[in-house]
Amino acid sequence: MITVRKSSDRGHADHGWLKSFHTFSFAEYHDPRHMGVGNLRVINEDRIAPGTGFGTHGHRDMEIVSYVLSGKLGHRDSLGNGAEIVPGDVQRMSAGSGIRHSEFNVAQQAETHFLQIWILPDDRDIAPGYEQKHFEDAGKRGHLRLVASRDGREGSVTIHADASMYAGLFDAGESAELTLDPQRPVYVHLVRGSLEVNGERIEGGDAVTLRGEGQLTLSGGRDAEVIVFDLKA
């Protein structure tokens, strides 16, 4: 079964300094039909104005992945980590038994545009942790590059959850296939451009949920950037 979620159906918040689209219920946006898929709980598409950001706050028992699309995101946390996250980077923060952190737009003259992704961990109260890696566009061109997984295989960042996250770039003539376990849900989020997912044409901000499918086929891309999640049921 294939279900399409249109970009325009997402929740939206405009705080002035922050403009955000919520794929699933988050903060003041609540829709009981959209609470997540499998162990994927949050995809927020955030745009942060220059010189602003999220002040220090706490989380626990969540795998939080940041995927920067443009600009530059500054990170600080209670483990002593300090980093700048740029396009091509994937940052994983394991909140575990508790972590405090902040994120700010450190691109002085430009908006920072990124995805904030939350995945439920396999276990509670693990030790908090942090990891960040860069993935070149060449490895994602016409290909689904594994960027996060439970075992850190293929050079991906390690998440403490039964999930795999892939990123790909597709333009005219480029296509990719991924063999799926029909018992596991798969969520395809199109960051930008347009793309066909198992024959369904979607546009930037749209998403597709696949259940009971044995294969994922991506084709017909036009300046497309896509993220694919293979998830625990």
Side-chain angles (χ1 to χ4, degrees):
M1 182 175 70
I2 300 174
T3 305
V4 177
R5 177 96 188 277
K6 303 301 289 183
S7 173
S8 57
D9 293 335
R10 296 179 294 174
H12 182 246
D14 186 344
H15 301 287
W17 66 273
L18 169 68
K19 295 177 174 60
S20 185
F21 284 97
H22 306 314
T23 293
F24 306 118
S25 295
F26 187 87
E28 295 180 4
Y29 166 63
H30 180 77
D31 184 338
R33 298 170 301 169
H34 299 289
M35 300 298 294
V37 172
N39 51 351
L40 176 62
R41 181 62 186 83
V42 168
I43 302 178
N44 289 344
E45 182 182 353
D46 292 340
R47 290 176 169 85
I48 306 175
T52 67
F54 301 93
T56 302
H57 59 287
H59 290 292
R60 62 178 300 131
D61 293 323
M62 194 66 69
E63 297 293 292
I64 301 173
V65 177
S66 295
Y67 186 98
V68 174
L69 305 172
S70 66
K72 187 183 298 183
L73 191 66
H75 169 89
R76 299 289 183 274
D77 65 44
S78 54
L79 300 179
N81 296 300
E84 292 185 351
I85 310 162
V86 299
D89 287 353
V90 175
Q91 177 222 53
R92 180 268 302 168
M93 184 177 67
S94 298
S97 58
I99 193 169
R100 293 182 63 77
H101 70 111
S102 63
E103 266 77 32
F104 278 82
N105 179 1
V106 293
Q108 295 300 316
Q109 306 299 323
E111 176 182 83
T112 288
H113 181 198
F114 78 108
L115 298 181
Q116 179 185 169
I117 298 159
W118 294 11
I119 301 173
L120 294 167
D122 292 338
D123 299 301
R124 299 174 63 87
D125 291 324
I126 66 172
Y130 181 91
E131 187 180 10
Q132 181 176 335
K133 290 187 176 181
H134 185 78
F135 298 89
E136 297 289 346
D137 283 357
K140 296 177 281 188
R141 173 58 57 197
H143 175 71
L144 284 174
R145 172 68 163 97
L146 185 67
V147 296
S149 65
R150 182 167 57 175
D151 56 5
R153 67 189 184 279
E154 299 176 23
S156 61
V157 300
T158 301
I159 53 176
H160 300 89
D162 182 4
S164 297
M165 174 178 163
Y166 301 82
L169 301 170
F170 297 91
D171 216 330
E174 296 173 334
S175 63
E177 295 182 347
L178 186 66
T179 300
L180 308 179
D181 180 346
Q183 303 302 312
R184 294 172 63 87
V186 169
Y187 196 80
V188 181
H189 179 86
L190 186 60
V191 176
R192 59 181 172 87
S194 66
L195 188 67
E196 287 188 10
V197 179
N198 285 25
E200 294 278 352
R201 169 66 64 179
I202 60 172
E203 304 293 331
D206 294 348
V208 176
T209 303
L210 295 93
R211 299 182 187 274
E213 300 290 322
Q215 181 169 286
L216 170 67
T217 301
L218 305 179
S219 60
R222 299 172 187 161
D223 193 30
E225 183 168 7
V226 67
I227 299 178
V228 175
F229 300 89
D230 179 302
L231 301 160
K232 181 179 179 180

